[in-house]
Amino acid sequence: MKQKSAVVLTLFVLASSAWAQTDPKATEQWEPEPKVITAGKQDSAPPSDAVVLFDGRDLTQWETSKDHSPALWKVHDGVVTVEKATGNIQTKQHFKNYQLHLEWQVPTDITGEGQARGNSGVFLASTGPGDEGYEVQIMDSFKNKTYVNGQAASIYKQTAPLVNAMRPPGEWQTYDIVWTAPVFAADGTVKSPGYVTLFHNGVLVQNHTQLSGETFYIGKPKYKPYTDAAIKLQAHGDHSQPISFRNIWVRPLD
Ligand code: MG
């Protein structure tokens, strides 16, 4: 009896593996269906499931990083311009993993050189009111030499961009970023590191780049546990003309 059921089982296994190898339906997946959303009219426009962070009208989604007071950067003509005196601004809402779109513009009358030329930055997760967190560099890297892991589209002081895709001052630049946040164990150790994929003006410049920790001006990167965080824009302390932003939206991926 035992032998008979073993034979039946063997035949069943053979038959089902034969089915899996001959029937195309065996490798079709039908559930769960991806949620239907409405894409933006152009690739840069927010899709229906995006959180719009800045649409040219006001900074209601933002606050001053140092004291959580209203963000005071200047909104004009559908753009927002960095106000160096009032410091970094950040989103009121916190995020983990996401897709982020933002556009930025270096003014045509930009002066200064190296890091002191249109320097700003987007911190993908802010872990303090100053420059703490994970910065993707924003600055004028159009014919402006600086250390390569500090030029535009670098992971600051960690990874240079694959290519320099800068448009000249006066033209709008786009960043499309995929941020996979680091995950920490209960004891604070890193379970999985953070990763950044970045398209600068549609060109791949960071390809699932693994981060070694937060991006520091001085010293080696290291991780500090957090669970969710604001997205922060940098008011850099140099004396060059401030840059502007427009059309900022995010799609949480949790
Ligand atoms: Mg910067």
Side-chain angles (χ1 to χ4, degrees):
M1 193 62 190
K2 246 186 191 163
Q3 250 180 344
K4 200 175 168 189
S5 59
V7 169
V8 169
L9 183 66
T10 307
L11 284 173
F12 174 75
V13 169
L14 285 172
S16 60
S17 77
W19 170 78
Q21 282 170 41
T22 55
D23 189 342
K25 284 192 166 38
T27 43
E28 292 175 2
Q29 182 194 331
W30 287 72
E31 300 284 340
E33 284 188 55
K35 188 175 146 195
V36 175
I37 64 151
T38 306
K41 282 207 166 62
Q42 311 92 31
D43 290 351
S44 59
S48 60
D49 62 345
V51 177
V52 176
L53 296 174
F54 178 67
D55 65 0
R57 277 181 285 201
D58 57 54
L59 290 175
T60 49
Q61 299 290 324
W62 300 80
E63 62 185 15
T64 299
S65 296
K66 63 179 179 231
D67 57 8
H68 307 285
S69 63
L72 295 174
W73 289 12
K74 283 192 196 108
V75 177
H76 60 98
D77 309 312
V79 311
V80 57
T81 299
V82 177
E83 185 58 54
K84 293 185 191 229
T86 62
N88 297 342
I89 65 168
Q90 64 187 35
T91 56
K92 292 176 183 169
Q93 198 174 328
H94 284 197
F95 303 95
K96 285 180 186 164
N97 307 310
Y98 58 76
Q99 173 190 352
L100 175 68
H101 174 89
L102 64 83
E103 300 175 22
W104 52 281
Q105 183 195 46
V106 175
T108 48
D109 61 350
I110 191 76
T111 57
E113 56 183 49
Q115 289 285 303
R117 190 175 166 91
N119 198 328
S120 179
V122 54
F123 290 84
L124 304 179
S126 170
T127 58
D131 290 342
E132 303 91 346
Y134 305 84
E135 182 186 7
V136 170
Q137 179 66 296
I138 289 174
M139 60 171 286
D140 183 19
S141 285
F142 186 79
K143 298 179 179 170
N144 174 39
K145 208 171 171 66
T146 186
Y147 43 94
V148 297
N149 62 351
Q151 72 181 66
S154 66
I155 311 300
Y156 185 68
K157 289 274 180 91
Q158 291 188 34
T159 312
L162 294 168
V163 293
N164 181 340
M166 276 296 294
R167 293 177 176 140
E171 292 189 20
W172 283 93
Q173 322 268 343
T174 63
Y175 273 0
D176 288 283
I177 300 174
V178 181
W179 170 235
T180 304
V183 179
F184 299 93
D187 66 358
T189 54
V190 179
K191 239 171 150 178
S192 61
Y195 294 94
V196 174
T197 294
L198 166 61
F199 292 86
H200 181 190
N201 297 329
V203 179
L204 182 69
V205 290
Q206 299 285 348
N207 185 5
H208 198 59
T209 302
Q210 184 177 324
L211 275 72
S212 316
E214 295 191 20
T215 53
F216 297 131
Y217 178 44
I218 299 170
K220 291 232 159 93
K222 65 170 187 280
Y223 280 106
K224 178 170 74 188
Y226 78 96
T227 47
D228 54 46
I231 297 168
K232 182 170 63 186
L233 299 177
Q234 187 183 41
H236 191 269
D238 70 71
H239 297 293
S240 63
Q241 288 78 354
I243 71 159
S244 297
F245 291 89
R246 72 177 184 191
N247 192 22
I248 309 175
W249 50 265
V250 64
R251 295 182 58 246
L253 298 174
D254 301 309

